[in-house]
């Protein structure tokens, strides 16, 4: 059965200033991702993986090209509209977890709901999501009271609480030991199964990349493998 | 949602730690300055700009050309019976300098005012509040002739209590009247301190004249009745004639302006601190954006945080402001001859100050919030901070405009007019616009100089990276140094000039006033104490009129013996009186309105006789007269004795060695029967103390500016340490000791203090040179010692603030710092 296209990138380029020069990070990258896929984005350090992730998740804008998320061209959206996309369509998981240090695990997961339409259900939904990632007993703990693996699970819960169709993860196991990293990947697999989410994982780790359905390989700003 | 936002805001502030405390301190300082100045200006306004009725003692003040005689008092009573005047009270003001001596002490205290009142009717308006006996009225206390009420400052200076015997004396005729303290007043209607009140019977005793009433205060049923009083032959002063002095209004405006400028400095400190505080949370802000928070969501979150800061700082600042205003008031209250200030907390101004603090901190915080929410979430992927874009700069400029408008509105409310409020803001902007580039240029120049030593090099590099904060701190220190320097130049300089001009305690430095019946005993006392040479004058009160019958206000008459030159007067035209038919008048009598000429005839009437004299000349007091300058009509001694009979007072002026002046004053004062002994040294000290006290008050105010500088220095150092924590950790890991690291920080701030102090002193000299050029008689100057003290003060403040903030962080172990980061 043909699955719907949830993400389409068309001829993306991105330049960044570096002193007096301009560096071309991405040089015309195009690909599509179907619903429910687990796609890895791989490549050597400095290849443009994180830049690509930033563009497709609405954190950054391309210098040229188009990004279409669930049929919406997000390329030229203003900041408020992009924020809405990031809140409802795309969940983002970072290598450094990026939890709010002053909030508890429960409150970190609630946070995205307070700027969306479901604010009145924030507490219940966040609690449910924490249970889904196996951290109900740590709901009242602050990030500095959690292990690395626990913090990443909270970050995953936060990314999923608004029920986005796409989850983008930037080196999600980069700051974790191999055993904990494997647990996170198992969690991703389970959640994909249970929630039907589309996963896009940026990684330089072959073990992590191997868990995906397919890989997009970037080198020197070009997409070499996996455009389909 | 509300509890989420509130919880997030509170916990973020708590996590901010020292940065949060610094921000709270900044706004607390600003609100403290505003509230203290507002409360002080309210107290001063109550007193200095009181309703004119209080100054007049009623709707009008009624006077004549001379003391009100029996006929005039009868006419006044008729006006009351006719209903022209609703009520009136008689006043007998002692017009000359009055001296008060406590029994058992040989030293005198000078009073600003000694006044007889009709105890049955006084006061017509306002109140006399007695602390002792508590709750009593004037009528209760002034029952017996000789009983007096003194104001609390007089009681404090002389150690007086209820029942204390005192003696009141003056230069002419009111020598050493024994009195008893029957009441101590906390408040009198016109707030004048250094005062004594007594009833009319006592006033007659003191004046030794039945015509002792100098004026009356009256209540009218309609303003037009004042014209009928004038038509009855009286001189009338209406409430419309009483205008608050421009000096009082200016003083009040300056107090309020100082408060607003304090709030401005606090606001700048808040903006500074919050900018760094939010900069430290770049990743957190980017994360919130990444999960869908829009700019307005972040604005709401951070504005709440800033408002909470503002509430905390404003409440603390308001409490401290109440304390500071009380201290400043007591400094002002202690100035010699001061008005009686009554401390009260104006709740409306207190609440207004807190509200202004919250609004100002939120407004200034918007600048930091605008910069913070401009962060692009992409930094989460690349890390580091982003450069301000044109959009960020434009919105930053917009916020500066908004803050200016908000601050202008606060200023307008505080100053009581939009014009004045706008003026304060304009002055602040111009000052920043002038001082900012000036200090920036000076700092750049100094930082370019090759400085010896590695530590100085590091200090210089650090200053280059935090120019903006350094410049703001220097401006505050400069304002403090300039204000104190200028106050020292004017007030202390004036004090020195007064001392130089009059202050020599040599020459005619001992004055004794007494009644004729004690003259022989006093002469014996002087002789027995080795004083045989002195100038003698004999004083009496008389009615003096021109040949056409119009009475003169001059009522003090002196007889001087022989043709000997007197040190205290200099004949400017004509001759001193040689014959009993001649009189020498003070020089002002030749001018309007008296318009008397040499050769004019005057009629002098005492209780016992009338005499005619011809004006033989005019005189003026010499500098040697000091505060005891005569303004009496001078006759021969024989004529004075003829006029006064036994009702004559004497004044002896002697020159005694300065070394023994003090001891002689005390000895003679205790021993001389019924006489008042005054030393020139005491009078000079009184004058000097007036300027000294005023300087202390102004210095107290200017101290707020220096405190602002210290707060901003602490703010700048604290923020710099936050930013340079990693650098400090690395230096320590490389082997630098805590002492070395602290030294670089202290060197940076010493440089700021020296620069600000130096510019402050130079500015004072420039302004003084300009004033001296325009007003040569001003003779303003700043003593080298004062200049050096200011420089040391500015530098010490900067060093002290920096040391307090930097002490602990420079002592942290390098691993702790580097791991944390």
């Amino acid at each position: 059965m043909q699955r719907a296209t949830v993400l389409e990138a068309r001829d993306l380029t991105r330049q960044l200033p570096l002193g007096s020069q301009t560096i071309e990070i991405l040089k015309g990258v195009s690909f599509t991702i179907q619903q429910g896929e687990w796609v890895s984005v791989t490549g050597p350090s400095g290849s443009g993986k994180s830049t690509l992730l930033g563009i497709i998740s609405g954190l950054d804008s391309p210098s040229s090209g188009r990004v279409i998320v669930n049929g919406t061209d997000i390329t030229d959206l203003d900041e408020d509209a992009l924020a809405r996309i990031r809140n409802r369509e795309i969940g983002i998981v970072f290598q450094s977890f990026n939890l709010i240090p002053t909030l508890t695990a429960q409150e970190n997961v609630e946070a995205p709901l307070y700027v969306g339409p479901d604010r009145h259900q924030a507490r219940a939904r966040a609690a449910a999501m924490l249970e889904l990632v196996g951290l109900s007993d740590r709901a009242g703990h602050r990030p500095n009271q959690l292990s690395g693996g626990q913090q990443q699970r909270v970050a995953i819960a936060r990314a999923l609480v608004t029920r986005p169709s796409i989850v983008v993860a930037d080196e999600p196991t980069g700051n974790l030991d191999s055993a904990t990293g494997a647990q996170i990947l198992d969690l991703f697999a389970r959640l994909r199964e249970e929630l039907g989410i589309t996963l896009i994982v940026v990684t330089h780790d072959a073990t992590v990349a191997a868990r995906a359905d397919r890989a997009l390989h970037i080198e020197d700003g070009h997409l070499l493998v996996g455009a389909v | 949602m509300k509890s989420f936002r509130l919880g997030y805001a509170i916990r973020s502030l708590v996590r901010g730690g020292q940065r949060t405390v610094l921000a709270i301190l900044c706004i607390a300082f600003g609100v403290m300055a505003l509230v203290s100045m507002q409360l002080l200006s309210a107290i001063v306004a109550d007193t200095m700009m009181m309703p004119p009725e209080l100054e007049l003692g009623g709707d009008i003040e009624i006077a004549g050309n001379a003391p009100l005689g029996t006929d005039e008092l009868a006419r006044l009573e008729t006006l009351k019976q006719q209903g022209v005047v609703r009520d009136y009270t008689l006043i007998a003001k002692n017009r000359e300098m009055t001296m008060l001596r406590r029994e058992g002490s040989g030293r005198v205290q000078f009073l600003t005012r000694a006044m007889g009142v009709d105890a049955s009717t006084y006061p017509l308006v306002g109140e006399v509040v007695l602390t002792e006996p508590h709750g009593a009225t004037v009528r209760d206390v002034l029952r017996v002739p000789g009983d007096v009420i003194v104001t609390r400052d007089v009681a404090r200076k002389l150690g007086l209590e209820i029942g204390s015997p005192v003696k009141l004396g003056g230069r002419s005729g009111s020598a050493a009247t024994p009195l008893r303290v029957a009441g101590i007043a906390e408040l009198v209607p016109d707030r004048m301190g250094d005062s004594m009140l007594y009833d009319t019977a006592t006033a007659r005793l003191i004046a030794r004249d039945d015509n002792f009433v100098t004026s009356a205060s009256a209540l009218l049923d309609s303003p037009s009745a004042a014209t009928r009083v004038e038509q009855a032959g009286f001189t009338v002063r209406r409430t419309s004639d009483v205008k608050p002095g421009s000096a009082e209004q200016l003083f009040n405006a300056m107090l309020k302006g100082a408060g607003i400028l304090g709030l401005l400095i606090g606001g700048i400190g808040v903006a500074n601190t919050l900018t760094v505080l939010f900069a430290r949370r770049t990743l957190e802000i980017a994360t919130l954006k990444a999960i869908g928070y829009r700019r307005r969501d972040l604005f709401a979150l951070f504005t709440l945080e800033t408002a909470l800061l503002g509430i905390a700082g404003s409440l603390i600042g308001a409490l401290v402001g109440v304390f500071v205003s009380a201290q400043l008031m007591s400094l002002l209250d202690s100035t010699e001859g001061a008005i009686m200030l009554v401390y009260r907390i104006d709740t409306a101004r207190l609440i207004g100050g807190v509200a202004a603090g919250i609004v100002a901190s939120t407004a200034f915080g918007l600048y930091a919030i605008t910069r913070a929410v401009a962060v692009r979430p992409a930094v989460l992927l690349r890390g580091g901070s982003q450069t301000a874009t044109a959009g960020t700069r434009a919105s930053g400029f917009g916020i500066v405009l908004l803050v200016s408008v908000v601050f202008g509105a606060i200023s307008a409310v505080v100053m009581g007019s939009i014009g004045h409020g706008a003026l304060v803001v304009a002055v602040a902007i111009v000052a920043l616009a002038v001082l900012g580039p000036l200090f920036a240029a000076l700092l750049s120049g100094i930082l370019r100089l090759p400085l010896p030593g590695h530590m100085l090099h590091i200090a210089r590099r650090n200053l280059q990276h935090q120019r903006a904060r350094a410049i703001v701190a220097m401006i505050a220190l400069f304002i403090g140094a300039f204000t104190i320097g200028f106050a020292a130049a004017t007030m202390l300089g004036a004090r020195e000039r007064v001392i130089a001009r009059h202050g020599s305690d040599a020459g005619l430095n001992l004055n004794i006033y007494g009644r004729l019946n004690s003259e022989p005993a006093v002469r014996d006392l002087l002789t027995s104490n080795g004083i045989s040479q002195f100038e003698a004058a004999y004083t009496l009160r008389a009615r003096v009129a021109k040949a056409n019958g119009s009475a003169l206000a001059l009522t003090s008459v002196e007889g001087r013996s022989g043709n000997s030159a007197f040190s205290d007067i200099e004949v400017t035209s004509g001759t001193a009186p040689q014959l009993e038919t001649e009189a020498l008048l003070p020089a002002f009598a030749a001018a309007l309105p008296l318009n008397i000429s040499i050769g004019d005839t005057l009629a002098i009437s005492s209780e016992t006789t009338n005499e005619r004299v011809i004006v033989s000349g005019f005189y003026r007091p010499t500098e040697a007269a000091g505060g005891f300058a005569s303004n009496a009509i001078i006759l021969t001694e024989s004529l004075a004795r003829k006029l006064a009979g036994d009702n004559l007072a004497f004044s002896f002026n002697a020159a005694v060695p300065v070394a023994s002046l003090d001891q002689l004053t005390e000895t003679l004062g205790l021993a001389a029967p019924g006489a008042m002994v005054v030393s020139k040294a005491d009078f000079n000290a009184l004058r000097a103390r007036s300027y000294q006290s005023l300087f202390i008050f102004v210095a107290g105010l200017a101290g707020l500016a220096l405190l602002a500088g210290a707060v901003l220095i602490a703010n700048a150092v604290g923020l710099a340490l936050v930013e340079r924590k990693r650098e400090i950790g690395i230096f320590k890991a490389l082997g630098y000791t805590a002492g070395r690291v602290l030294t670089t920080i202290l060197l940076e701030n010493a440089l700021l203090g020296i620069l600000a102090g130096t510019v402050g002193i130079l500015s004072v000299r420039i302004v003084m040179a300009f004033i001296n050029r325009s007003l040569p008689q001003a003779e303003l100057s700043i003593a080298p010692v004062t200049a050096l003290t200011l420089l040391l003060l500015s530098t010490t403040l900067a060093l002290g603030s920096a040391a307090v903030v930097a002490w602990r962080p420079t002592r942290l172990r390098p691993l702790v710092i580097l791991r944390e980061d």
Side-chain angles (χ1 to χ4, degrees):
Chain A
M1 186 174 76
Q2 184 92 17
R3 288 184 286 187
T5 299
V6 293
L7 181 75
E8 185 180 352
R10 293 181 193 162
D11 204 23
L12 295 177
T13 67
R14 185 71 170 101
Q15 289 105 34
L16 286 172
L18 191 67
S20 56
Q21 293 178 310
T22 302
I23 309 294
E24 238 184 314
I25 308 292
L26 295 176
K27 300 168 185 174
V29 172
S30 300
F31 59 88
T32 57
I33 295 176
Q34 267 54 61
Q35 185 182 345
E37 277 198 283
W38 178 336
V39 177
S40 293
V41 178
T42 62
S45 183
S47 58
K49 306 189 297 295
S50 294
T51 304
L52 177 64
L53 182 136
I55 291 170
I56 63 175
S57 61
L59 292 174
D60 198 4
S61 302
S63 302
S64 69
R66 316 304 297 175
V67 178
I68 296 141
V69 174
N70 286 324
T72 303
D73 187 340
I74 70 168
T75 315
D76 297 322
L77 290 183
D78 62 24
E79 195 52 44
D80 277 3
L82 279 175
R84 190 172 180 280
I85 295 289
R86 292 195 298 268
N87 185 253
R88 300 186 199 175
E89 306 287 342
I90 303 173
I92 309 171
V93 179
F94 299 96
Q95 180 178 356
S96 306
F97 325 133
N98 285 333
L99 298 178
I100 310 294
T102 49
L103 301 178
T104 62
Q106 168 77 20
E107 288 162 346
N108 265 285
V109 178
E110 285 174 13
L113 293 169
Y114 287 120
V115 291
D118 302 318
R119 62 189 67 182
H120 302 295
Q121 304 162 14
R123 197 156 287 184
R125 281 179 53 171
M129 198 52 64
L130 276 175
E131 189 169 342
L132 196 62
V133 300
L135 282 178
S136 297
D137 58 338
R138 290 283 189 269
H141 287 63
R142 298 244 170 89
N144 62 355
Q145 297 168 318
L146 300 172
S147 67
Q150 289 170 336
Q151 288 186 60
Q152 194 62 295
R153 281 195 271 167
V154 172
I156 292 170
R158 181 181 67 187
L160 291 171
V161 76
T162 54
R163 296 176 187 158
S165 55
I166 305 168
V167 171
V168 174
D170 183 20
E171 305 274 9
T173 61
N175 283 4
L176 304 171
D177 59 77
S178 54
T180 311
Q183 288 172 3
I184 293 299
L185 294 175
D186 289 343
L187 178 60
F188 272 141
R190 181 165 66 81
L191 291 172
R192 183 176 79 136
E193 192 70 36
E194 290 181 16
L195 303 176
I197 52 173
T198 305
L199 268 172
I200 305 171
V201 178
V202 168
T203 183
H204 67 276
D205 187 332
T207 316
V208 173
R211 298 287 295 261
D213 296 334
R214 66 182 167 103
L216 299 174
H217 188 77
I218 309 257
E219 255 188 60
D220 198 27
H222 293 288
L223 179 63
L224 298 184
V225 176
V228 176
Chain B
M1 175 65 171
K2 282 180 191 165
S3 65
F4 171 80
R5 276 193 188 152
L6 190 59
Y8 179 75
I10 291 172
R11 274 182 259 163
S12 295
L13 287 174
V14 169
R15 189 164 188 265
Q18 194 183 51
R19 273 102 61 196
T20 302
V21 170
L22 278 172
I24 290 174
L25 277 179
C26 285
I27 201 64
F29 167 80
V31 173
M32 178 272 293
L34 182 69
V35 165
S36 61
M37 291 300 105
Q38 283 271 78
L39 291 181
L40 196 57
S41 82
I43 292 164
V44 166
D46 280 351
T47 309
M48 284 183 174
M49 300 191 301
M50 69 186 98
E53 289 81 7
L54 290 179
E55 187 174 325
L56 296 178
D59 295 327
I60 57 171
E61 186 184 42
I62 300 168
N65 287 331
L68 299 178
T70 320
D71 289 343
E72 283 151 320
L73 295 178
R75 282 210 305 275
L76 193 53
E77 180 59 28
T78 305
L79 286 173
K80 182 180 174 183
Q81 284 164 11
Q82 289 171 347
V84 175
V85 164
R86 181 157 37 102
D87 200 359
Y88 67 90
T89 189
L90 302 177
I91 305 288
K93 279 187 191 159
N94 206 346
R95 287 188 170 161
E96 59 181 355
M97 186 193 306
T98 312
M99 294 162 272
L100 186 69
R101 178 162 66 85
R102 183 171 53 86
E103 201 68 45
S105 166
R107 312 309 286 261
V108 302
Q109 171 74 23
F110 298 98
L111 290 181
T112 301
R113 178 177 64 181
M115 187 166 85
V117 300
D118 181 347
S120 64
T121 52
Y122 180 87
L124 289 180
V125 292
E127 52 180 350
V128 175
V129 176
L130 296 175
T131 51
E132 294 180 50
H134 184 67
T137 65
V138 171
R139 189 196 299 222
D140 294 336
V141 166
L142 299 182
R143 291 176 180 279
V144 175
D147 279 356
V148 299
I149 295 170
V150 295
T151 49
R152 58 173 154 81
D153 48 345
V154 174
R156 188 190 64 218
K157 283 177 205 169
L158 286 176
L160 299 176
E161 302 171 331
I162 300 296
S164 294
V166 293
K167 282 195 175 158
L168 186 74
R171 188 183 164 81
S172 61
S174 55
T177 308
L179 303 166
R180 189 188 80 99
V181 175
I184 296 173
E186 173 70 26
L187 190 65
V188 292
D190 61 1
R191 307 277 205 271
M192 189 179 283
D194 248 7
S195 293
M196 172 184 280
L197 300 176
Y198 36 82
D199 71 352
T200 45
T202 308
R204 181 185 279 113
L205 266 179
I206 291 168
R208 294 183 294 115
D209 187 338
D210 285 339
N211 294 321
F212 59 90
V213 175
T214 55
S215 65
S217 299
L219 293 176
L220 308 175
D221 279 329
S222 74
S224 58
T227 310
R228 290 185 62 184
V229 175
E230 279 177 322
Q231 287 166 351
F234 292 105
T235 305
V236 168
R237 204 163 147 236
R238 296 170 170 77
T239 54
S240 54
D241 297 326
V242 177
K243 292 192 175 21
S246 56
E248 285 91 0
Q249 288 179 319
L250 181 62
F251 181 66
N252 218 28
M254 283 170 61
L255 281 179
K256 290 183 186 177
I260 293 169
L261 292 176
L263 187 65
L264 175 64
I265 289 173
I268 291 173
V270 163
N272 251 355
T273 312
L274 287 177
T275 301
V276 173
L277 199 146
F278 288 129
R280 295 277 295 172
R281 292 160 65 184
T282 301
L283 290 182
E284 181 182 327
I285 296 168
T287 302
L288 287 170
K289 281 195 154 186
I291 61 174
Y293 277 63
R294 297 154 296 187
R295 283 171 64 102
R296 57 177 175 272
D297 299 315
L298 294 171
F299 256 102
L301 266 180
F302 298 140
T303 302
L304 176 61
E305 233 175 272
T306 309
L308 289 174
L309 266 178
I311 291 169
S314 299
L315 289 173
I316 294 170
L319 286 173
V320 176
V322 166
F323 172 75
V324 167
S325 68
Q327 301 310 304
L328 285 173
M329 195 206 84
S330 104
L331 271 179
L332 187 57
D333 206 32
S334 67
T335 56
E336 293 292 336
I339 44 175
M340 295 177 75
L341 298 172
V342 178
Y343 189 75
R344 67 179 181 92
I345 298 176
D346 186 325
T347 317
R349 286 178 202 234
L350 194 63
I351 294 172
V354 171
I358 295 169
V359 170
S361 61
T362 308
F364 278 96
L366 281 177
Y367 174 77
I369 294 170
T370 305
R371 286 174 62 123
V373 302
V375 71
R376 293 180 67 89
V379 298
L380 289 169
L381 301 171
R382 280 190 282 280
S385 60
Q386 64 176 49
T387 331
T389 62
T392 313
R393 284 193 288 272
S395 58
F397 180 70
I399 290 295
V400 168
L401 269 179
L402 174 65
V403 170
S404 302
V405 168
V406 168
F407 198 73
I410 294 174
S411 302
V413 170
V414 168
M415 297 300 291
S417 91
I418 294 174
H420 287 157
L423 182 63
V424 170
V425 175
V427 165
I429 291 172
V430 167
L432 286 173
V434 168
L435 294 173
L438 172 68
F439 278 110
L442 284 170
L443 193 61
S444 290
I446 286 176
L447 293 179
R448 281 202 176 94
L449 295 173
L451 296 171
H454 180 59
M455 305 305 291
L456 275 173
H457 173 71
I458 294 176
R460 179 173 67 180
R461 188 182 58 85
N462 290 333
L463 276 176
Q464 279 167 342
H465 284 133
Q466 52 170 13
R467 269 176 215 255
R469 268 181 249 142
I471 288 165
V472 171
M474 278 195 290
I475 289 174
L477 282 173
F478 160 80
I479 291 171
F482 176 83
T483 310
I484 293 181
F486 194 74
T490 48
M491 275 159 225
L492 292 185
R495 171 178 165 271
E496 296 307 318
R497 281 195 302 283
V498 162
I499 289 170
R501 199 173 287 155
H502 303 292
S504 165
D505 292 341
L508 284 179
N509 52 16
L510 189 68
N511 309 94
I512 306 172
Y513 308 99
R515 293 187 183 176
L516 198 61
N517 55 2
S518 61
E519 184 188 1
V522 171
R523 282 184 179 271
D524 288 343
L525 198 59
L526 287 173
T527 307
S528 66
N529 279 276
I531 304 169
S532 55
Q533 302 277 344
F534 49 85
E535 297 174 2
Y538 297 88
T539 60
L540 67 146
R541 286 213 170 268
R543 281 179 295 286
V544 184
K546 283 183 171 180
N548 62 9
S550 59
L552 302 184
L554 288 167
T555 58
S556 184
V557 178
E558 272 184 21
R560 299 199 179 199
S561 57
N563 195 23
S564 52
F566 284 87
S567 309
D568 62 333
I569 61 170
E570 177 192 355
V571 176
T572 54
S573 60
T575 57
Q578 306 297 317
L579 305 172
E580 278 193 9
T581 52
E582 291 177 337
L584 185 68
L585 267 59
F588 65 78
L592 288 168
L594 295 174
N595 211 19
I596 295 171
S597 307
I598 293 174
D600 283 355
T601 302
L602 301 176
I604 303 179
S605 309
S606 67
E607 285 182 1
T608 52
T609 185
N610 303 312
E611 296 290 337
R612 282 184 175 269
V613 293
I614 296 171
V615 177
S616 63
F618 296 95
Y619 73 89
R620 67 174 176 208
T622 61
E623 285 206 2
F628 302 104
S630 173
N631 62 358
I633 295 174
I634 295 176
L635 312 173
T636 58
E637 183 185 331
S638 56
L639 181 60
R641 286 183 184 274
K642 194 188 288 184
L643 279 164
D646 290 334
N647 203 12
L648 201 64
F650 66 84
S651 69
F652 294 157
N653 300 329
V656 303
V658 172
S660 53
L661 177 61
D662 215 46
Q663 182 255 321
L664 268 172
T665 307
E666 185 75 32
T667 304
L668 291 172
L670 282 168
M676 304 290 275
V677 181
V678 182
S679 135
K680 194 179 180 188
D682 286 343
F683 186 73
N684 289 339
L686 167 69
R687 252 208 264 244
R689 272 201 306 276
S690 301
Y691 289 106
Q692 185 101 9
S693 302
L694 211 48
F695 166 72
I696 289 171
F697 171 71
V698 172
L701 280 184
L704 285 179
L706 280 176
L707 183 61
V711 167
L712 286 173
I713 292 269
N715 180 274
V717 170
L719 294 174
L721 285 172
V722 162
E723 289 172 328
R724 288 156 53 185
K725 217 178 188 180
R726 185 175 172 77
E727 176 190 316
I728 293 171
I730 293 169
F731 269 121
K732 294 190 93 178
L734 293 175
Y736 279 62
T737 61
R740 276 186 168 261
V741 175
L742 186 62
T743 301
T744 60
I745 294 168
L746 294 181
L747 282 173
E748 287 163 40
N749 290 282
L751 188 62
L752 298 184
I754 291 169
L755 198 55
T758 305
V759 174
I761 293 161
L762 284 174
S763 302
V764 171
R765 292 197 67 124
I766 291 168
V767 171
M768 282 191 306
F770 179 72
I771 294 175
N772 287 338
R773 215 167 163 187
S774 313
L775 296 167
Q777 63 271 30
E779 297 175 11
L780 294 177
S781 64
I782 183 167
V785 169
T786 309
L788 192 59
T789 306
L790 270 176
L791 190 58
L792 279 174
L793 183 63
S794 168
T795 310
T796 307
L797 261 176
L799 279 173
S801 307
V804 163
V805 175
W807 187 262
R808 194 175 162 275
T810 52
R811 268 154 178 73
L812 290 174
R813 294 173 63 190
L815 202 56
V816 169
I817 299 168
L818 293 172
R819 266 194 187 149
E820 237 182 66
D821 216 51

